[in-house]
């Protein structure tokens, strides 16, 4: 994202132009998330354009802003952020060819009718940074439920609820974190305020899905596998897709060059999954992964990890910066 794009995003948040009670646009949140994986670059102001100078000094600043948007709770980064990140997933089987993995998933989607209907809702279980302001308490990562529901008239809501909190090794966190089930943030959209990537249920064809992915990431040239994975993450953050739509989405991702098959593992709630990875064109310091259920063929997770170290956050290469899990409504602790 260049300075002009970021300026347009931030202008939408200008109090003079935006009602005080308006929620943060999702596209602003998406773009802010991109900064986490991008190394700092020098900013130059163009007098001819006379655009506002936005002083984004580091990825750490972006993390604080993202936490404020997503969770409604502001925590300062701890001195050593390397303790914040969960252990990377370990793929225990030899990687299959991406085409074979996608073909198997699509065959399963066509064969099994699990009754999932397309719906203007996305429920995910995700992971976020959290640390005590003075560093005295344990640094933790917080798992939160993000429940987006929206209507045909583009009204809706986003409710963020605390899930269980653990440290990076999965141990119980000391008292002080919000209790599971606590609503930590809630935003409401009035009619015509929500702006989805796909206003209508996506057409279940690879061509239609590819256009949505291109729109999501703003791709002007070739859509890389990493870009396609990021676009899929955006789409699944707004829609619950039926099996035919999931199948078309997988085909669109497969057709983007650079897709890697990572093998089989278990996701962070114990489901057997197949990993498909790619390097996006933006952010430049990210390696992103889609997790495909071995049982259903559906896309059930997304992860993003650093390719190179992030010195601002004291994070080594391979550190996880985000994950989101879908198809989680059957969990006992899921929002209803």
């Amino acid at each position: 994202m260049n300075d002009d794009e970021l300026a347009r995003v931030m202008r939408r948040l200008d109090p003079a132009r935006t009602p005080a009670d308006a929620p943060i646009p999702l596209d602003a949140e998406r773009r802010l998330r991109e900064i986490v994986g991008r190394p700092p670059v020098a900013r130059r102001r163009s007098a001819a354009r006379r655009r506002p100078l936005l002083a984004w000094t580091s990825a750490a600043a972006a993390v604080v802003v993202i936490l404020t948007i997503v969770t409604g709770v502001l925590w300062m980064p701890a001195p050593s952020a390397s303790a914040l990140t969960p252990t990377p997933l370990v793929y225990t089987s030899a990687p299959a060819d991406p085409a074979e993995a996608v073909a198997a998933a699509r065959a399963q989607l066509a064969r099994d009718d699990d009754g999932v209907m397309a719906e203007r809702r996305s429920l995910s279980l995700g992971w976020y940074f959290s640390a005590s302001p003075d560093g005295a308490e344990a640094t933790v990562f917080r798992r939160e439920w993000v429940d987006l529901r929206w209507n045909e008239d583009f009204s809706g809501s986003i409710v963020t609820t605390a899930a269980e909190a653990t440290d990076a090794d999965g141990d119980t966190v000391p008292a002080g974190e919000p209790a599971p089930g606590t609503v930590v943030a809630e935003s409401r959209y009035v009619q015509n305020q929500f702006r989805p990537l796909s206003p209508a249920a996506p057409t279940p064809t690879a061509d239609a899905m590819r256009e949505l992915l291109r729109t999501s990431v703003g791709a002007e040239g070739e859509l890389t596998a990493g870009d396609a994975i990021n676009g899929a993450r955006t789409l699944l953050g707004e829609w619950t897709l039926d099996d035919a739509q999931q199948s078309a989405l997988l085909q669109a991702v497969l057709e983007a060059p650079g897709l890697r098959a990572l093998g089989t593992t278990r996701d962070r709630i114990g489901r057997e999954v197949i990993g498909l990875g790619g390097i996006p064109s933006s952010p430049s310091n990210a390696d992103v992964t889609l997790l495909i259920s071995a049982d259903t063929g559906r896309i059930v997770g997304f992860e993003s990890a650093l390719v190179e170290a992030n010195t601002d956050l004291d994070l080594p290469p391979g550190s996880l910066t985000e994950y989101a899990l879908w198809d989680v409504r059957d969990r006992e602790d899921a929002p209803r």
Side-chain angles (χ1 to χ4, degrees):
M1 177 170 56
N2 58 35
D3 287 353
D4 290 332
E5 292 171 334
L6 184 57
R8 285 195 293 272
V9 170
M10 298 307 294
R11 278 199 297 269
R12 297 193 185 104
L13 311 184
D14 184 348
R17 298 164 56 96
T18 305
D21 60 349
I24 301 298
L26 285 189
D27 58 344
E29 177 188 329
R30 294 186 197 112
R31 291 186 181 276
L32 285 168
R33 283 184 182 278
E34 292 180 0
I35 303 173
V36 178
R38 179 174 298 174
V41 295
R43 308 295 192 201
R44 293 183 299 174
R45 185 173 183 177
S46 169
R49 293 184 179 179
R50 298 187 180 276
R51 50 181 168 77
L53 180 64
L54 300 169
W56 291 101
T57 58
S58 69
V63 170
V64 173
V65 173
I66 292 167
L67 282 170
T68 305
I69 292 172
V70 177
T71 70
V73 178
L74 180 61
W75 295 86
M76 297 298 292
S80 178
S82 59
L84 296 174
T85 60
T87 303
L89 295 176
V90 176
Y91 294 89
T92 56
S93 63
D97 179 76
E100 293 179 7
V102 169
R106 297 188 70 203
Q108 195 164 24
L109 287 167
R111 180 174 60 249
D112 300 333
D113 183 7
D114 55 18
V116 177
M117 305 292 290
E119 183 180 359
R120 293 182 178 88
R121 182 188 181 191
S122 174
L123 176 65
S124 64
L125 179 59
W127 168 89
Y128 303 92
F129 284 116
S130 174
S132 60
D134 58 3
E137 300 295 333
T139 295
V140 302
F141 68 86
R142 177 181 295 151
R143 294 171 78 174
E144 293 179 343
W145 295 98
V146 178
D147 192 1
L148 168 65
R149 307 182 193 215
W150 55 286
N151 305 306
E152 194 172 359
D153 66 356
F154 307 128
S155 62
S157 65
I158 305 175
V159 179
T160 303
T161 307
E164 73 277 17
T166 68
D167 65 16
D169 292 323
D171 296 327
T172 302
V173 173
E177 287 294 298
T182 302
V183 174
V184 296
E186 183 172 2
S187 296
R188 299 285 174 180
Y189 292 89
V190 299
Q191 182 177 353
N192 292 323
Q193 191 175 32
F194 181 69
R195 290 169 294 186
L197 174 63
S198 180
T203 303
T205 66
D207 287 343
M209 291 295 180
R210 187 180 307 105
E211 288 307 308
L212 287 176
L213 301 182
R214 292 179 62 86
T215 299
S216 173
V217 300
E220 296 180 357
E222 189 174 46
L223 184 71
T224 69
D227 293 337
I229 289 172
N230 275 339
R233 191 259 181 270
T234 297
L235 182 60
L236 292 170
E238 296 180 355
W239 279 94
T240 295
L241 300 180
D242 64 25
D243 286 356
Q245 292 165 329
Q246 285 257 348
S247 179
L249 179 57
L250 281 171
Q251 183 63 29
V253 171
L254 173 64
E255 292 173 1
L259 190 66
R260 311 189 315 273
L262 306 178
T264 302
T265 187
R266 291 194 176 273
D267 70 10
R268 300 181 190 277
I269 57 175
R271 300 175 296 189
E272 186 178 2
V273 292
I274 298 166
L276 297 175
I279 303 295
S281 56
S282 175
S284 59
N285 189 23
D287 190 346
V288 293
T289 303
L290 283 183
L291 301 176
I292 315 302
S293 170
D295 293 329
T296 67
R298 292 174 59 83
I299 300 169
V300 296
F302 166 89
E303 298 207 341
S304 181
L306 295 177
V307 175
E308 299 176 354
N310 185 308
T311 55
D312 292 306
L313 297 176
D314 191 21
L315 293 173
S319 297
L320 207 69
T321 58
E322 178 189 4
Y323 76 68
L325 303 174
W326 298 287
D327 283 13
V328 287
R329 295 191 196 184
D330 59 347
R331 287 177 57 90
E332 292 184 358
D333 57 337
R336 304 301 173 190

PDB file of all heavy atoms in Angstrom, residues 244-269:
ATOM      1  N   ALA A 244     -20.283 -25.392  -3.215  1.00  0.00           N
ATOM      2  CA  ALA A 244     -19.998 -25.073  -4.616  1.00  0.00           C
ATOM      3  C   ALA A 244     -19.151 -23.804  -4.713  1.00  0.00           C
ATOM      4  O   ALA A 244     -18.216 -23.717  -5.530  1.00  0.00           O
ATOM      5  CB  ALA A 244     -21.301 -24.907  -5.396  1.00  0.00           C
ATOM      6  N   GLN A 245     -19.446 -22.807  -3.885  1.00  0.00           N
ATOM      7  CA  GLN A 245     -18.655 -21.577  -3.884  1.00  0.00           C
ATOM      8  C   GLN A 245     -17.241 -21.838  -3.364  1.00  0.00           C
ATOM      9  O   GLN A 245     -16.273 -21.301  -3.900  1.00  0.00           O
ATOM     10  CB  GLN A 245     -19.359 -20.521  -3.024  1.00  0.00           C
ATOM     11  CG  GLN A 245     -20.669 -20.034  -3.623  1.00  0.00           C
ATOM     12  CD  GLN A 245     -21.517 -19.289  -2.612  1.00  0.00           C
ATOM     13  OE1 GLN A 245     -21.483 -19.566  -1.410  1.00  0.00           O
ATOM     14  NE2 GLN A 245     -22.287 -18.321  -3.089  1.00  0.00           N
ATOM     15  N   GLN A 246     -17.135 -22.673  -2.335  1.00  0.00           N
ATOM     16  CA  GLN A 246     -15.814 -23.032  -1.827  1.00  0.00           C
ATOM     17  C   GLN A 246     -14.982 -23.733  -2.905  1.00  0.00           C
ATOM     18  O   GLN A 246     -13.788 -23.473  -3.060  1.00  0.00           O
ATOM     19  CB  GLN A 246     -15.969 -23.951  -0.608  1.00  0.00           C
ATOM     20  CG  GLN A 246     -16.408 -23.246   0.664  1.00  0.00           C
ATOM     21  CD  GLN A 246     -15.255 -23.040   1.634  1.00  0.00           C
ATOM     22  OE1 GLN A 246     -14.170 -23.604   1.480  1.00  0.00           O
ATOM     23  NE2 GLN A 246     -15.485 -22.210   2.631  1.00  0.00           N
ATOM     24  N   SER A 247     -15.606 -24.618  -3.656  1.00  0.00           N
ATOM     25  CA  SER A 247     -14.913 -25.337  -4.709  1.00  0.00           C
ATOM     26  C   SER A 247     -14.388 -24.378  -5.773  1.00  0.00           C
ATOM     27  O   SER A 247     -13.235 -24.492  -6.228  1.00  0.00           O
ATOM     28  CB  SER A 247     -15.861 -26.363  -5.341  1.00  0.00           C
ATOM     29  OG  SER A 247     -15.224 -27.066  -6.390  1.00  0.00           O
ATOM     30  N   ALA A 248     -15.216 -23.425  -6.180  1.00  0.00           N
ATOM     31  CA  ALA A 248     -14.799 -22.437  -7.176  1.00  0.00           C
ATOM     32  C   ALA A 248     -13.671 -21.558  -6.635  1.00  0.00           C
ATOM     33  O   ALA A 248     -12.727 -21.215  -7.362  1.00  0.00           O
ATOM     34  CB  ALA A 248     -15.990 -21.579  -7.580  1.00  0.00           C
ATOM     35  N   LEU A 249     -13.754 -21.209  -5.360  1.00  0.00           N
ATOM     36  CA  LEU A 249     -12.701 -20.396  -4.747  1.00  0.00           C
ATOM     37  C   LEU A 249     -11.376 -21.151  -4.728  1.00  0.00           C
ATOM     38  O   LEU A 249     -10.316 -20.586  -5.030  1.00  0.00           O
ATOM     39  CB  LEU A 249     -13.130 -20.010  -3.329  1.00  0.00           C
ATOM     40  CG  LEU A 249     -12.148 -19.163  -2.515  1.00  0.00           C
ATOM     41  CD1 LEU A 249     -11.804 -17.867  -3.236  1.00  0.00           C
ATOM     42  CD2 LEU A 249     -12.733 -18.871  -1.130  1.00  0.00           C
ATOM     43  N   LEU A 250     -11.407 -22.433  -4.387  1.00  0.00           N
ATOM     44  CA  LEU A 250     -10.192 -23.233  -4.397  1.00  0.00           C
ATOM     45  C   LEU A 250      -9.577 -23.307  -5.797  1.00  0.00           C
ATOM     46  O   LEU A 250      -8.357 -23.239  -5.957  1.00  0.00           O
ATOM     47  CB  LEU A 250     -10.493 -24.643  -3.894  1.00  0.00           C
ATOM     48  CG  LEU A 250     -10.601 -24.811  -2.375  1.00  0.00           C
ATOM     49  CD1 LEU A 250     -11.131 -26.206  -2.038  1.00  0.00           C
ATOM     50  CD2 LEU A 250      -9.246 -24.577  -1.716  1.00  0.00           C
ATOM     51  N   GLN A 251     -10.414 -23.437  -6.817  1.00  0.00           N
ATOM     52  CA  GLN A 251      -9.899 -23.502  -8.178  1.00  0.00           C
ATOM     53  C   GLN A 251      -9.231 -22.185  -8.569  1.00  0.00           C
ATOM     54  O   GLN A 251      -8.179 -22.183  -9.218  1.00  0.00           O
ATOM     55  CB  GLN A 251     -11.030 -23.837  -9.150  1.00  0.00           C
ATOM     56  CG  GLN A 251     -10.592 -23.997 -10.594  1.00  0.00           C
ATOM     57  CD  GLN A 251      -9.622 -25.155 -10.796  1.00  0.00           C
ATOM     58  OE1 GLN A 251      -9.652 -26.137 -10.054  1.00  0.00           O
ATOM     59  NE2 GLN A 251      -8.756 -25.055 -11.799  1.00  0.00           N
ATOM     60  N   ALA A 252      -9.836 -21.066  -8.168  1.00  0.00           N
ATOM     61  CA  ALA A 252      -9.243 -19.756  -8.479  1.00  0.00           C
ATOM     62  C   ALA A 252      -7.895 -19.598  -7.786  1.00  0.00           C
ATOM     63  O   ALA A 252      -6.941 -19.061  -8.364  1.00  0.00           O
ATOM     64  CB  ALA A 252     -10.193 -18.637  -8.052  1.00  0.00           C
ATOM     65  N   VAL A 253      -7.786 -20.068  -6.555  1.00  0.00           N
ATOM     66  CA  VAL A 253      -6.508 -20.005  -5.846  1.00  0.00           C
ATOM     67  C   VAL A 253      -5.475 -20.895  -6.538  1.00  0.00           C
ATOM     68  O   VAL A 253      -4.314 -20.501  -6.713  1.00  0.00           O
ATOM     69  CB  VAL A 253      -6.685 -20.423  -4.370  1.00  0.00           C
ATOM     70  CG1 VAL A 253      -5.330 -20.574  -3.687  1.00  0.00           C
ATOM     71  CG2 VAL A 253      -7.556 -19.417  -3.624  1.00  0.00           C
ATOM     72  N   LEU A 254      -5.880 -22.094  -6.942  1.00  0.00           N
ATOM     73  CA  LEU A 254      -4.966 -23.029  -7.601  1.00  0.00           C
ATOM     74  C   LEU A 254      -4.390 -22.433  -8.875  1.00  0.00           C
ATOM     75  O   LEU A 254      -3.210 -22.638  -9.189  1.00  0.00           O
ATOM     76  CB  LEU A 254      -5.696 -24.333  -7.924  1.00  0.00           C
ATOM     77  CG  LEU A 254      -4.924 -25.349  -8.765  1.00  0.00           C
ATOM     78  CD1 LEU A 254      -3.697 -25.856  -8.006  1.00  0.00           C
ATOM     79  CD2 LEU A 254      -5.824 -26.508  -9.169  1.00  0.00           C
ATOM     80  N   GLU A 255      -5.182 -21.698  -9.626  1.00  0.00           N
ATOM     81  CA  GLU A 255      -4.755 -21.172 -10.915  1.00  0.00           C
ATOM     82  C   GLU A 255      -3.806 -19.983 -10.793  1.00  0.00           C
ATOM     83  O   GLU A 255      -3.225 -19.552 -11.794  1.00  0.00           O
ATOM     84  CB  GLU A 255      -5.984 -20.799 -11.745  1.00  0.00           C
ATOM     85  CG  GLU A 255      -6.805 -22.016 -12.164  1.00  0.00           C
ATOM     86  CD  GLU A 255      -8.109 -21.649 -12.842  1.00  0.00           C
ATOM     87  OE1 GLU A 255      -8.372 -20.432 -13.006  1.00  0.00           O
ATOM     88  OE2 GLU A 255      -8.867 -22.564 -13.199  1.00  0.00           O
ATOM     89  N   ALA A 256      -3.645 -19.448  -9.582  1.00  0.00           N
ATOM     90  CA  ALA A 256      -2.686 -18.363  -9.381  1.00  0.00           C
ATOM     91  C   ALA A 256      -1.288 -18.954  -9.235  1.00  0.00           C
ATOM     92  O   ALA A 256      -1.083 -19.891  -8.471  1.00  0.00           O
ATOM     93  CB  ALA A 256      -3.057 -17.556  -8.137  1.00  0.00           C
ATOM     94  N   PRO A 257      -0.300 -18.462  -9.960  1.00  0.00           N
ATOM     95  CA  PRO A 257       1.040 -19.066  -9.928  1.00  0.00           C
ATOM     96  C   PRO A 257       1.717 -18.888  -8.570  1.00  0.00           C
ATOM     97  O   PRO A 257       1.516 -17.899  -7.869  1.00  0.00           O
ATOM     98  CB  PRO A 257       1.796 -18.293 -11.023  1.00  0.00           C
ATOM     99  CG  PRO A 257       1.049 -17.008 -11.173  1.00  0.00           C
ATOM    100  CD  PRO A 257      -0.376 -17.320 -10.893  1.00  0.00           C
ATOM    101  N   GLY A 258       2.519 -19.891  -8.214  1.00  0.00           N
ATOM    102  CA  GLY A 258       3.294 -19.821  -6.985  1.00  0.00           C
ATOM    103  C   GLY A 258       2.698 -20.577  -5.815  1.00  0.00           C
ATOM    104  O   GLY A 258       3.254 -20.537  -4.712  1.00  0.00           O
ATOM    105  N   LEU A 259       1.599 -21.306  -6.025  1.00  0.00           N
ATOM    106  CA  LEU A 259       0.969 -22.032  -4.924  1.00  0.00           C
ATOM    107  C   LEU A 259       1.831 -23.229  -4.519  1.00  0.00           C
ATOM    108  O   LEU A 259       2.324 -23.967  -5.361  1.00  0.00           O
ATOM    109  CB  LEU A 259      -0.424 -22.505  -5.336  1.00  0.00           C
ATOM    110  CG  LEU A 259      -1.303 -23.076  -4.215  1.00  0.00           C
ATOM    111  CD1 LEU A 259      -1.657 -21.994  -3.203  1.00  0.00           C
ATOM    112  CD2 LEU A 259      -2.566 -23.701  -4.790  1.00  0.00           C
ATOM    113  N   ARG A 260       2.011 -23.411  -3.203  1.00  0.00           N
ATOM    114  CA  ARG A 260       2.805 -24.521  -2.688  1.00  0.00           C
ATOM    115  C   ARG A 260       1.919 -25.429  -1.839  1.00  0.00           C
ATOM    116  O   ARG A 260       1.069 -24.949  -1.083  1.00  0.00           O
ATOM    117  CB  ARG A 260       3.952 -24.018  -1.793  1.00  0.00           C
ATOM    118  CG  ARG A 260       4.773 -22.907  -2.383  1.00  0.00           C
ATOM    119  CD  ARG A 260       6.018 -22.607  -1.541  1.00  0.00           C
ATOM    120  NE  ARG A 260       5.757 -22.542  -0.113  1.00  0.00           N
ATOM    121  CZ  ARG A 260       5.368 -21.432   0.534  1.00  0.00           C
ATOM    122  NH1 ARG A 260       5.159 -20.311  -0.138  1.00  0.00           N
ATOM    123  NH2 ARG A 260       5.195 -21.454   1.833  1.00  0.00           N
ATOM    124  N   ALA A 261       2.125 -26.728  -1.962  1.00  0.00           N
ATOM    125  CA  ALA A 261       1.464 -27.684  -1.073  1.00  0.00           C
ATOM    126  C   ALA A 261       2.399 -27.951   0.091  1.00  0.00           C
ATOM    127  O   ALA A 261       3.569 -28.297  -0.107  1.00  0.00           O
ATOM    128  CB  ALA A 261       1.142 -28.971  -1.812  1.00  0.00           C
ATOM    129  N   LEU A 262       1.902 -27.773   1.320  1.00  0.00           N
ATOM    130  CA  LEU A 262       2.739 -27.880   2.515  1.00  0.00           C
ATOM    131  C   LEU A 262       2.636 -29.226   3.206  1.00  0.00           C
ATOM    132  O   LEU A 262       3.459 -29.551   4.055  1.00  0.00           O
ATOM    133  CB  LEU A 262       2.368 -26.769   3.511  1.00  0.00           C
ATOM    134  CG  LEU A 262       2.397 -25.344   2.953  1.00  0.00           C
ATOM    135  CD1 LEU A 262       1.971 -24.352   4.022  1.00  0.00           C
ATOM    136  CD2 LEU A 262       3.780 -25.006   2.418  1.00  0.00           C
ATOM    137  N   GLY A 263       1.626 -30.007   2.864  1.00  0.00           N
ATOM    138  CA  GLY A 263       1.419 -31.287   3.519  1.00  0.00           C
ATOM    139  C   GLY A 263       0.247 -31.252   4.477  1.00  0.00           C
ATOM    140  O   GLY A 263      -0.592 -30.357   4.429  1.00  0.00           O
ATOM    141  N   THR A 264       0.200 -32.230   5.367  1.00  0.00           N
ATOM    142  CA  THR A 264      -0.922 -32.395   6.297  1.00  0.00           C
ATOM    143  C   THR A 264      -0.477 -32.075   7.723  1.00  0.00           C
ATOM    144  O   THR A 264       0.644 -32.383   8.126  1.00  0.00           O
ATOM    145  CB  THR A 264      -1.451 -33.834   6.243  1.00  0.00           C
ATOM    146  OG1 THR A 264      -1.842 -34.130   4.898  1.00  0.00           O
ATOM    147  CG2 THR A 264      -2.648 -34.011   7.164  1.00  0.00           C
ATOM    148  N   THR A 265      -1.370 -31.438   8.479  1.00  0.00           N
ATOM    149  CA  THR A 265      -1.107 -31.133   9.879  1.00  0.00           C
ATOM    150  C   THR A 265      -2.442 -31.053  10.600  1.00  0.00           C
ATOM    151  O   THR A 265      -3.485 -31.409  10.039  1.00  0.00           O
ATOM    152  CB  THR A 265      -0.324 -29.817  10.014  1.00  0.00           C
ATOM    153  OG1 THR A 265       0.058 -29.618  11.377  1.00  0.00           O
ATOM    154  CG2 THR A 265      -1.144 -28.635   9.550  1.00  0.00           C
ATOM    155  N   ARG A 266      -2.429 -30.590  11.836  1.00  0.00           N
ATOM    156  CA  ARG A 266      -3.658 -30.304  12.576  1.00  0.00           C
ATOM    157  C   ARG A 266      -3.683 -28.831  12.913  1.00  0.00           C
ATOM    158  O   ARG A 266      -2.660 -28.258  13.314  1.00  0.00           O
ATOM    159  CB  ARG A 266      -3.753 -31.162  13.845  1.00  0.00           C
ATOM    160  CG  ARG A 266      -3.977 -32.636  13.527  1.00  0.00           C
ATOM    161  CD  ARG A 266      -4.404 -33.452  14.726  1.00  0.00           C
ATOM    162  NE  ARG A 266      -4.695 -34.833  14.325  1.00  0.00           N
ATOM    163  CZ  ARG A 266      -5.865 -35.250  13.879  1.00  0.00           C
ATOM    164  NH1 ARG A 266      -6.877 -34.379  13.785  1.00  0.00           N
ATOM    165  NH2 ARG A 266      -6.053 -36.511  13.518  1.00  0.00           N
ATOM    166  N   ASP A 267      -4.848 -28.217  12.717  1.00  0.00           N
ATOM    167  CA  ASP A 267      -4.933 -26.794  12.990  1.00  0.00           C
ATOM    168  C   ASP A 267      -4.974 -26.549  14.494  1.00  0.00           C
ATOM    169  O   ASP A 267      -4.832 -27.472  15.302  1.00  0.00           O
ATOM    170  CB  ASP A 267      -6.111 -26.151  12.250  1.00  0.00           C
ATOM    171  CG  ASP A 267      -7.475 -26.550  12.799  1.00  0.00           C
ATOM    172  OD1 ASP A 267      -7.550 -27.186  13.873  1.00  0.00           O
ATOM    173  OD2 ASP A 267      -8.488 -26.219  12.155  1.00  0.00           O
ATOM    174  N   ARG A 268      -5.190 -25.324  14.898  1.00  0.00           N
ATOM    175  CA  ARG A 268      -5.032 -24.943  16.297  1.00  0.00           C
ATOM    176  C   ARG A 268      -6.222 -25.305  17.175  1.00  0.00           C
ATOM    177  O   ARG A 268      -6.234 -25.000  18.364  1.00  0.00           O
ATOM    178  CB  ARG A 268      -4.681 -23.457  16.365  1.00  0.00           C
ATOM    179  CG  ARG A 268      -3.385 -23.197  15.630  1.00  0.00           C
ATOM    180  CD  ARG A 268      -2.906 -21.780  15.641  1.00  0.00           C
ATOM    181  NE  ARG A 268      -1.796 -21.658  14.688  1.00  0.00           N
ATOM    182  CZ  ARG A 268      -0.542 -21.973  14.970  1.00  0.00           C
ATOM    183  NH1 ARG A 268      -0.229 -22.423  16.170  1.00  0.00           N
ATOM    184  NH2 ARG A 268       0.406 -21.852  14.045  1.00  0.00           N
ATOM    185  N   ILE A 269      -7.195 -25.994  16.596  1.00  0.00           N
ATOM    186  CA  ILE A 269      -8.258 -26.605  17.406  1.00  0.00           C
ATOM    187  C   ILE A 269      -8.351 -28.106  17.131  1.00  0.00           C
ATOM    188  O   ILE A 269      -9.346 -28.744  17.439  1.00  0.00           O
ATOM    189  CB  ILE A 269      -9.619 -25.908  17.199  1.00  0.00           C
ATOM    190  CG1 ILE A 269     -10.033 -25.906  15.728  1.00  0.00           C
ATOM    191  CG2 ILE A 269      -9.598 -24.500  17.753  1.00  0.00           C
ATOM    192  CD1 ILE A 269     -11.428 -25.323  15.490  1.00  0.00           C
TER     193      ILE A 269
END
